[in-house]
Each structure stands twice: as structure tokens, then as C-alpha cells.
């Protein structure tokens, strides 16, 4: 079974509920590590850290974070080694986030993305493959970029 980790703060609860239902309808096991409805408050930075930490430790290949705008959660998730978060606002960005940048954490802002639109973005990201749609020389270029980013991480995350 395909597994994915998801988390949100209060500002993302409604969208998170819709995304979980959407993912489960597509056969995903969804593990929610963020704030729950009627649960104790979880600030955006802790919800983002829970998702990013799980992806960084390779417990999951992919994660989704939802907060109000998506900005703060993206900043937090980028602090984790091996986590490549992208805050998306359209399907092209979502597809390209994976195809070009090998993004493994998608970030949404509930205040910016209606559920139907967010589900389309999520589907575009999940369907994309790293380097798809590129010429062979560009595929090599992109793979080298990701490799160099990994080297930057080794240096910067000491």
C-alpha cells in the first residue's frame, strides 16, 4: 500500500480533511501527524516539522503540509535534510515541483487553495516522475543538480 504523511495546523484542518479523503480514495494509507479537529493546538512550525522529520528519516517517501498560507511551513520543512518542500498554487507548479526539483513534500495554504483545486495539484504531483518530459541531456542536468544539492546539504547540515 502507498503511504503518505500529512500534517496541518488549525488553519489547514478543513483542507487536510479533504486531502486525506482524496488520498484514501486513491488507495493511500494516510498518517496524520498534525493537529486534529477538537485536538490540542499544534502550531504551524511543529506540524511542518513532524511531516518533514518523518520524510527526512525516510519513514515516508512523500509528505503534505497545510497551513494558512503555506509560507511558514515551507521554511520549516526546508530545515530538514533530504526534504525538498515546494509551496504550490497551481497544477503546473505541482507537476514541475516533482519533474524538475524532485520535490518530496508538497505544501498548501488553505487560505489560498480551494479543496477541489488542491486535489488536482496533489494528483499532478503524485503522477509526476522526476525528469519526465525532458530531453536526455536535460535529465542528466537535473539529476546532477539534485546531486549537488545533496552535497550542499552535507556541508550545511553538519
Amino acid at each position: 500500500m502507498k503511504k503518505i504523511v500529512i500534517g496541518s495546523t488549525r488553519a489547514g484542518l478543513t483542507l487536510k480533511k479533504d486531502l486525506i479523503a482524496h488520498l484514501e480514495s486513491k488507495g493511500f494509507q494516510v498518517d496524520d501527524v498534525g493537529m486534529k479537529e477538537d485536538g490540542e493546538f499544534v502550531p504551524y512550525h511543529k506540524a511542518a516539522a513532524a511531516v518533514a522529520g518523518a520524510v527526512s528519516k525516510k519513514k515516508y517517501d512523500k509528505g503534505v503540509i497545510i497551513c494558512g498560507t503555506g509560507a511558514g511551513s515551507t521554511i520549516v520543512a526546508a530545515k530538514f535534510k533530504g526534504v525538498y518542500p515546494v509551496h504550490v498554487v497551481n497544477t503546473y507548479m505541482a507537476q514541475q515541483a516533482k519533474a524538475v526539483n524532485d520535490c518530496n513534500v508538497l505544501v498548501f495554504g488553505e487560505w489560498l487553495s480551494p479543496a477541489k483545486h488542491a486535489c488536482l495539484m496533489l494528483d499532478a504531483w503524485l503522477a509526476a516522475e522526476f525528469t519526465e518530459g525532458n530531453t536526455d541531456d536535460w535529465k542528466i542536468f537535473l539529476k546532477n543538480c539534485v546531486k549537488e544539492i545533496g552535497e550542499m546539504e552535507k556541508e550545511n547540515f553538519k
Side-chain angles (χ1 to χ4, degrees):
M1 175 176 267
K2 303 172 282 186
K3 289 175 39 174
I4 195 163
V5 63
I6 195 167
S8 77
T9 188
R10 181 179 296 136
L13 285 173
T14 301
L15 182 56
K16 180 176 69 172
K17 181 178 173 183
D18 292 331
L19 292 177
I20 289 172
H22 183 73
L23 286 163
E24 289 176 343
S25 77
K26 294 188 169 291
F28 281 87
Q29 173 189 323
V30 183
D31 294 331
D32 183 354
V33 297
M35 186 172 169
K36 312 296 189 287
E37 278 191 47
D38 300 322
E40 184 177 319
F41 177 72
V42 177
Y44 78 90
H45 66 286
K46 290 191 178 183
V51 171
V55 172
S56 180
K57 293 175 183 164
K58 301 193 184 310
K59 294 179 181 178
Y60 302 86
D61 293 329
K62 295 181 179 189
V64 175
I65 306 169
I66 308 108
C67 65
T69 66
S73 291
T74 304
I75 291 168
V76 172
K79 304 295 183 202
F80 289 78
K81 188 174 184 179
V83 176
Y84 307 115
V86 177
H87 173 233
V88 295
V89 295
N90 63 53
T91 55
Y92 181 72
M93 282 181 73
Q95 186 274 333
Q96 290 294 100
K98 180 62 182 173
V100 173
N101 306 110
D102 205 17
C103 163
N104 56 4
V105 173
L106 209 59
V107 184
F108 292 102
E110 181 174 295
W111 300 335
L112 306 173
S113 298
K116 186 174 182 179
H117 190 206
C119 289
L120 292 172
M121 290 186 279
L122 185 58
D123 288 346
W125 177 64
L126 291 169
E129 295 291 332
F130 181 49
T131 74
E132 78 175 277
N134 289 290
T135 61
D136 287 342
D137 61 328
W138 196 250
K139 287 178 182 182
I140 292 167
F141 170 77
L142 293 174
K143 288 177 183 179
N144 284 334
C145 288
V146 169
K147 181 181 175 185
E148 288 178 25
I149 291 167
E151 294 300 318
M152 287 178 199
E153 281 183 333
K154 286 179 186 174
E155 184 64 30
N156 292 329
F157 283 107
K158 287 185 178 180

